[in-house]
Amino acid sequence: MSKVITPKEQDYSQWYNDLVIKAGLADHSAVKGCMVIKPYGYAIWERMQAVLDGMFKATGHSNAYFPLFIPKSFFAKEAAHVEGFAKECAVVTHYRLKNSPEGLVVDEDAKLDEELIVRPTSETIIWNTYKGWIQSYRDLPLLINQWANVVRWEMRTRLFLRTAEFLWQEGHTAHATRQEAVEEAEKMLNVYAEFVEKWMSVPVIKGTKTASERFAGALETYCIEAMMQDGKALQAGTSHFLGQNFAKAFDVKFLNKEGKSELVWATSWGVSTRLMGALVMTHSDNEGLVLPPQLAPIQVVIVPIYREAEQLAKINEVVSKLTRSFDADGIRYKYDSDDNRSPGWKFAEYELKGVPVRLAIGPKDLEKGTIEVSRRDTRTKEFVPIEGVEKYVKNLLGEITENLFKKAVELRTNNSHKVDTYAEFKEVLEKQSGFVWAHWDGTAETEEKIKEETKATIRCIPLNNPQEEGKCVYSGKPSKQRVIFAKAY
RNA sequence: CGGGGUGUAGCGUAGUCUGGUUAUCGCGCCUGCUUUGGGAGCAGGAGGUCGUCAGUUCGAAUCUGGCCACCCCGACCA
């Protein structure tokens, strides 16, 4: 074994780091807090992008691109927004370097009149621009998305989960009415939930954030929350109803049908490369990655087993029929006939990389007319007649997708607890982690106290949450519904 | 940003306490032959500013100080 992964039972953080690095998804870079996304990791991200982009287009959105740099004065216009992001902004102050006796230095003569902020998010530059795009109700709704990188100067970083620079998409929409904007925010939350559940096989809970967890500048923040295998919560996507806050700050008005001037209503929504972290931490095991077939860069790997060139030639013949059929079905495969690696090495390597299905074919198979089919999720294998194996594989890919989702739901169910006393609450979080469904009195004070004492935060108030009479687990005050508490990434 | 730890070949490491020939071993890499149904074997070979900068010393991977990076734990956050 040349690539040893720390077992997750021993050290979950280390297990995650080992997976990301050893499976070739990403690496630490020479730049503090920034990562290099390697080809295999980027291929998965590209799959995510392609699917999401299609979903955005299907819901009427267009892509555009706004500047990386935001003048400080723009940034300062929305008070809550500034408050939320000021502590983690990279700032550009000069535009030139020069040679000096000490080497290359910043040229103090090249100081910018106004500093530029490297975008931590683009609301301000976008709303400044929208002012010029919107005059009449006929210009609405304005439905724009951008794929971009953003920078948030984080103290402590983790590959994919929190890096100083990350890749994401940010949608920014403008609407004539409050209701339409709220509907947009909810619609995009549903798009995210569908993507994460159907394509990533990661179950999520849709909900809203409490005031303290809300996006800086939003009236309502919607989120989807997933549970990782260690029981911690991970926010997989957010969608914000921004009210008229940015319209006010940037004076974005439109003339309605009656000829009266009104402020527009706004939303923004985003998912990031953090989804890669969710993907890894939801399905993978101690042997390596486990990728859902829908996003796997390679869905099927074919490994030939042979002694002589003659045998390989026969195998090639069988395989080429197979791959023609895969081509026709749009199945992403790799035929690895590399002579320098033994079959055993390849088996281990593709397991590490999370390839959902492996086909092995050797002399014995040629004799019997079978092929060995192994599935990554259950680590089981069986011999299947070569005749019709294409169909078998196609079904298997679907089955794996479902099984991954089912297993993730089971994990979440087994680690979700309804509790009614604070003693129980603390016990669950200490001993088992997971989601805790508990009554909460709705105050920020209680939320803060619980966070201080248990490190658990309110992940969300689920949408369509069943209403029931109860008492706040902390204060004993009356409550009408349970909310989800958990430790979070 | 605070506390703790680590840094020696692409990767993992010995050596560091107690300074002293040519810096150890395994994996990987290159060449050749044999192999191939769960990380192959043998033989030969290449690869090092010992994180970095300065200091102490006749002599530094080893001692001292600064800096950098990464990991773990906390505070902050997607």
Side-chain angles (χ1 to χ4, degrees), chain A residues 88-106:
Chain A
E88 48 185 13
C89 287
V91 184
V92 179
T93 56
H94 293 76
Y95 58 87
R96 195 162 64 210
L97 299 172
K98 65 175 180 186
N99 279 309
S100 80
E102 295 83 43
L104 198 58
V105 296
V106 172

Side-chain angles (χ1 to χ4, degrees), chain A residues 65-273:
Chain A
Y65 187 80
F66 295 85
L68 170 68
F69 300 119
I70 299 175
K72 194 176 75 180
S73 58
F74 286 17
F75 206 74
K77 286 190 179 180
E78 215 289 324
H81 196 63
V82 176
E83 173 114 11
F85 286 105
K87 285 171 290 182
E88 48 185 13
C89 287
V91 184
V92 179
T93 56
H94 293 76
Y95 58 87
R96 195 162 64 210
L97 299 172
K98 65 175 180 186
N99 279 309
S100 80
E102 295 83 43
L104 198 58
V105 296
V106 172
D107 186 345
E108 291 299 334
D109 294 335
K111 198 169 189 330
L112 291 171
D113 290 338
E114 180 177 4
E115 289 96 338
L116 296 172
I117 313 299
V118 180
R119 63 179 167 220
T121 179
S122 302
E123 272 78 3
T124 57
I125 181 70
I126 284 177
W127 281 89
N128 174 76
T129 308
Y130 281 2
K131 179 181 166 58
W133 290 3
I134 298 168
Q135 277 101 41
S136 130
Y137 71 92
R138 294 178 200 277
D139 298 322
L140 298 174
L142 181 57
L143 307 173
I144 304 286
N145 174 64
Q146 86 164 341
W147 289 96
N149 58 339
V150 287
V151 169
R152 296 181 188 176
W153 214 259
E154 298 291 346
M155 295 296 174
R156 194 174 150 196
T157 58
R158 296 197 61 191
L159 294 170
F160 288 118
L161 298 174
R162 180 166 297 107
T163 45
E165 179 192 13
F166 57 93
L167 306 183
W168 77 346
Q169 57 70 218
E170 46 181 326
H172 296 273
T173 69
H175 306 265
T177 65
R178 176 188 188 103
Q179 192 194 344
E180 204 186 297
V182 169
E183 281 169 8
E184 166 78 5
E186 288 176 353
K187 180 198 283 177
M188 298 323 287
L189 186 78
N190 286 326
V191 165
Y192 288 155
E194 187 186 337
F195 171 74
V196 174
E197 294 202 330
K198 299 263 171 65
W199 293 80
M200 295 175 60
S201 293
V202 174
V204 294
I205 292 175
K206 294 184 259 190
T208 57
K209 287 292 188 189
T210 62
S212 64
E213 297 269 336
R214 210 170 274 158
F215 175 76
L219 297 189
E220 185 80 275
T221 287
Y222 298 86
C223 61
I224 47 175
E225 295 285 329
M227 184 190 289
M228 302 296 101
Q229 290 180 67
D230 62 350
K232 283 168 85 173
L234 187 135
Q235 178 178 301
T238 53
S239 174
H240 314 290
F241 167 58
L242 300 172
Q244 295 173 311
N245 289 348
F246 286 93
K248 273 180 214 154
F250 291 90
D251 192 33
V252 185
K253 292 177 181 162
F254 69 101
L255 281 183
N256 64 19
K257 283 181 188 168
E258 288 77 44
K260 282 187 194 156
S261 180
E262 286 185 52
L263 288 167
V264 304
W265 298 85
T267 81
S268 69
W269 27 274
V271 294
S272 71
T273 36

